Short mmCIF file of all heavy atoms in Angstrom, two decimals:
data_model
loop_
_atom_site.label_atom_id
_atom_site.label_comp_id
_atom_site.label_asym_id
_atom_site.label_seq_id
_atom_site.Cartn_x
_atom_site.Cartn_y
_atom_site.Cartn_z
N GLY E 249 56.95 159.25 63.97
CA GLY E 249 57.70 160.52 64.00
C GLY E 249 58.96 160.58 63.14
O GLY E 249 59.24 159.52 62.49
N ALA E 250 59.62 161.69 63.26
CA ALA E 250 60.81 161.87 62.38
C ALA E 250 61.87 160.87 62.72
O ALA E 250 62.62 160.49 61.82
CB ALA E 250 61.32 163.27 62.70
N GLN E 251 61.94 160.37 63.96
CA GLN E 251 62.96 159.36 64.24
C GLN E 251 62.72 157.96 63.67
O GLN E 251 63.61 157.15 63.61
CB GLN E 251 63.09 159.22 65.85
CG GLN E 251 61.94 158.48 66.50
CD GLN E 251 60.70 159.40 66.61
OE1 GLN E 251 60.69 160.62 66.24
NE2 GLN E 251 59.75 158.82 67.27
N ASP E 252 61.44 157.82 63.18
CA ASP E 252 61.07 156.56 62.62
C ASP E 252 61.25 156.58 61.06
O ASP E 252 60.88 155.58 60.39
CB ASP E 252 59.68 156.29 62.89
CG ASP E 252 59.42 156.09 64.42
OD1 ASP E 252 60.25 155.33 65.02
OD2 ASP E 252 58.41 156.61 64.97
N ILE E 253 61.65 157.71 60.44
CA ILE E 253 61.70 157.89 59.06
C ILE E 253 63.15 158.02 58.63
O ILE E 253 64.01 158.89 59.10
CB ILE E 253 60.91 159.16 58.55
CG1 ILE E 253 59.48 158.94 59.06
CG2 ILE E 253 61.10 159.36 57.08
CD1 ILE E 253 58.59 160.29 58.84
N ALA E 254 63.54 157.27 57.68
CA ALA E 254 64.90 157.44 57.09
C ALA E 254 64.77 158.19 55.67
O ALA E 254 64.06 157.72 54.77
CB ALA E 254 65.54 156.11 56.74
N LEU E 255 65.24 159.40 55.57
CA LEU E 255 65.12 160.23 54.42
C LEU E 255 66.47 160.16 53.68
O LEU E 255 67.51 160.63 54.20
CB LEU E 255 64.83 161.69 54.77
CG LEU E 255 64.50 162.70 53.69
CD1 LEU E 255 63.26 162.26 52.95
CD2 LEU E 255 64.31 164.05 54.28
N ALA E 256 66.54 159.57 52.46
CA ALA E 256 67.77 159.31 51.84
C ALA E 256 67.79 159.59 50.21
O ALA E 256 66.72 159.87 49.69
CB ALA E 256 68.14 157.85 52.04
N ALA E 257 68.99 159.52 49.76
CA ALA E 257 69.13 159.70 48.28
C ALA E 257 70.46 158.98 48.06
O ALA E 257 71.41 158.82 48.79
CB ALA E 257 69.15 161.14 47.95
N PRO E 258 70.74 158.69 46.69
CA PRO E 258 71.99 158.08 46.35
C PRO E 258 73.17 159.00 46.49
O PRO E 258 74.33 158.42 46.74
CB PRO E 258 71.71 157.73 44.83
CG PRO E 258 70.28 157.62 44.63
CD PRO E 258 69.72 158.64 45.61
N THR E 259 73.07 160.31 46.44
CA THR E 259 74.17 161.15 46.65
C THR E 259 73.96 162.10 47.77
O THR E 259 72.83 162.37 48.14
CB THR E 259 74.49 162.03 45.38
OG1 THR E 259 73.39 162.96 45.19
CG2 THR E 259 74.59 161.10 44.18
N GLY E 260 75.05 162.63 48.35
CA GLY E 260 74.97 163.59 49.45
C GLY E 260 74.26 164.84 49.01
O GLY E 260 73.49 165.41 49.87
N LYS E 261 74.47 165.33 47.83
CA LYS E 261 73.87 166.61 47.49
C LYS E 261 72.40 166.43 47.36
O LYS E 261 71.64 167.31 47.76
CB LYS E 261 74.49 166.92 46.12
CG LYS E 261 73.99 168.25 45.49
CD LYS E 261 74.58 168.57 44.15
CE LYS E 261 74.09 169.92 43.67
NZ LYS E 261 74.48 171.06 44.49
N ALA E 262 71.98 165.37 46.69
CA ALA E 262 70.49 165.18 46.64
C ALA E 262 69.88 164.81 47.95
O ALA E 262 68.73 165.40 48.17
CB ALA E 262 70.25 163.89 45.66
N ALA E 263 70.51 164.22 48.88
CA ALA E 263 69.88 163.98 50.21
C ALA E 263 69.78 165.30 50.96
O ALA E 263 68.75 165.53 51.53
CB ALA E 263 70.87 163.06 50.97
N ASN E 264 70.85 166.09 50.86
CA ASN E 264 70.84 167.49 51.49
C ASN E 264 69.74 168.33 50.92
O ASN E 264 69.00 169.02 51.66
CB ASN E 264 72.21 168.23 51.35
CG ASN E 264 73.19 167.61 52.14
OD1 ASN E 264 73.06 166.88 53.15
ND2 ASN E 264 74.46 167.78 51.78
N ARG E 265 69.52 168.28 49.65
CA ARG E 265 68.48 169.14 49.03
C ARG E 265 67.06 168.69 49.42
O ARG E 265 66.28 169.54 49.82
CB ARG E 265 68.57 169.06 47.49
CG ARG E 265 67.77 170.19 46.82
CD ARG E 265 67.98 170.20 45.33
NE ARG E 265 67.61 168.98 44.68
CZ ARG E 265 68.41 168.15 44.06
NH1 ARG E 265 69.72 168.35 44.02
NH2 ARG E 265 68.02 167.09 43.47
N ILE E 266 66.85 167.41 49.47
CA ILE E 266 65.39 167.01 49.89
C ILE E 266 65.14 167.31 51.30
O ILE E 266 64.06 167.70 51.73
CB ILE E 266 65.26 165.56 49.53
CG1 ILE E 266 63.76 165.12 49.83
CG2 ILE E 266 66.15 164.63 50.30
CD1 ILE E 266 62.67 165.86 48.87
N GLY E 267 66.25 167.16 52.19
CA GLY E 267 66.17 167.40 53.62
C GLY E 267 65.81 168.94 53.87
O GLY E 267 65.05 169.20 54.59
N GLU E 268 66.59 169.78 53.18
CA GLU E 268 66.46 171.22 53.30
C GLU E 268 65.05 171.64 52.81
O GLU E 268 64.34 172.50 53.45
CB GLU E 268 67.55 171.95 52.51
CG GLU E 268 68.88 171.78 53.18
CD GLU E 268 69.94 172.28 52.28
OE1 GLU E 268 69.69 172.73 51.09
OE2 GLU E 268 71.20 172.20 52.61
N SER E 269 64.54 171.01 51.74
CA SER E 269 63.28 171.41 51.13
C SER E 269 62.17 171.09 52.11
O SER E 269 61.20 171.78 52.26
CB SER E 269 63.06 170.73 49.76
OG SER E 269 64.03 171.15 48.89
N ILE E 270 62.21 169.96 52.75
CA ILE E 270 61.22 169.48 53.69
C ILE E 270 61.30 170.34 54.82
O ILE E 270 60.20 170.72 55.41
CB ILE E 270 61.36 167.99 53.95
CG1 ILE E 270 61.01 167.11 52.80
CG2 ILE E 270 60.59 167.61 55.18
CD1 ILE E 270 61.34 165.62 52.90
N ALA E 271 62.42 170.64 55.35
CA ALA E 271 62.58 171.53 56.56
C ALA E 271 61.94 172.84 56.25
O ALA E 271 61.28 173.46 57.15
CB ALA E 271 64.07 171.65 56.97
#
Side-chain angles (χ1 to χ4, degrees):
Q251 73 281 359
D252 298 316
I253 300 172
L255 189 62
T259 68
K261 183 179 181 66
N264 290 338
R265 190 173 64 248
I266 186 67
E268 291 167 359
S269 296
I270 290 174

